[in-house]
Amino acid sequence: MLERINYYWRLVGTGLSFFLFGAVGLLFWGLLFPLIERFLGAGLEKKLTSRAWMHGLFRWYMNFMRRIGILTYEVRGGERLNAPGRLVVANHPSLLDVVFLISQIRNATCIVKPALAANPFMRFPIRAMGYIYAEDPEALVEQCAAELREGASLIIFPEGRGPRPASPSSSSAAPPPSRYSRAPRCCRCASAARRPP
């Protein structure tokens, strides 16, 4: 009986979590953020403030799901993620990978599809946070390296379908961002969600 109640509670909690994610995202980033963006400053100040807001919202969201009992997680060596200029390589263990990582990293950036940057609801926060998007691989790597030199933590998903050269040995293949910026690649982060006993 208790197992059945627990199952339905997790089902309801999961549905509620997805609803909140979509509703808050649409309300805050799609409707409210464009109105307050002008008051966030400019340049680096605006970028850091916007990222801090995203970090805070995602941290609240992850804590909410943990408190209602639909997942648990453990962070080991989390202080390394917030050191300046880190290249964080994630391995896609769940649909919440980027949400979890940004909730742990105060100054995080990542690569998004150019089409997402043109989305009417997402273009304002993406541009304000300085997230990286480019069709050209070399321009993409240059942007990544610039972010690392500024002290941001760059989250990369190796399985992502970003721009790729024709072959690894191609002369036009762009070198990795860490080669331009000398960023340490010591963080390989895997978020893990499991059901509570």
Side-chain angles (χ1 to χ4, degrees):
M1 183 63 179
L2 290 177
E3 290 183 1
R4 194 172 186 83
I5 294 174
N6 188 38
Y7 167 78
Y8 284 115
W9 170 247
R10 290 200 305 269
L11 193 64
V12 171
T14 301
L16 177 62
S17 298
F18 276 106
F19 171 77
L20 283 177
F21 185 84
V24 172
L26 179 63
L27 178 63
F28 185 79
W29 298 113
L31 300 178
L32 295 180
F33 188 82
L35 300 177
I36 63 177
E37 181 184 7
R38 68 186 69 180
F39 303 107
L40 299 181
L44 183 60
E45 179 187 5
K46 179 179 181 179
K47 186 162 60 175
L48 293 177
T49 302
S50 301
R51 289 177 182 176
W53 281 16
M54 179 69 86
H55 164 74
L57 281 173
F58 280 178
R59 195 172 187 85
W60 173 86
Y61 182 67
M62 293 300 300
N63 287 336
F64 168 79
M65 289 190 292
R66 180 163 62 177
R67 285 170 184 168
I68 66 174
I70 65 172
L71 60 76
T72 63
Y73 61 83
E74 180 183 359
V75 180
R76 298 179 183 177
E79 68 282 353
R80 300 175 67 193
L81 295 174
N82 285 290
R86 294 291 185 181
L87 186 60
V88 181
V89 183
N91 66 352
H92 277 288
S94 73
L95 294 174
L96 292 172
D97 46 11
V98 70
V99 176
F100 178 81
L101 287 169
I102 293 178
S103 76
Q104 300 298 316
I105 304 173
R106 290 183 295 273
N107 183 18
T109 188
C110 58
I111 300 170
V112 299
K113 295 179 180 179
L116 190 61
N119 183 288
F121 291 104
M122 294 303 300
R123 63 184 178 183
F124 292 104
I126 285 176
R127 292 175 183 178
M129 288 181 285
Y131 283 178
I132 301 164
Y133 56 93
E135 294 286 358
D136 179 61
E138 292 189 7
L140 190 69
V141 172
E142 285 285 2
Q143 291 181 37
C144 292
E147 286 289 341
L148 290 168
R149 286 193 294 265
E150 283 185 358
S153 291
L154 173 61
I155 303 172
I156 289 182
F157 305 101
E159 300 95 307
R161 297 182 180 179
R164 296 180 183 178
S167 67
S169 59
S170 171
S171 59
S172 63
S178 58
R179 191 167 160 194
Y180 277 118
S181 63
R182 298 181 180 179
R185 291 177 289 177
C186 62
C187 295
R188 186 177 189 277
C189 185
S191 59
R194 61 179 176 84
R195 294 177 179 176

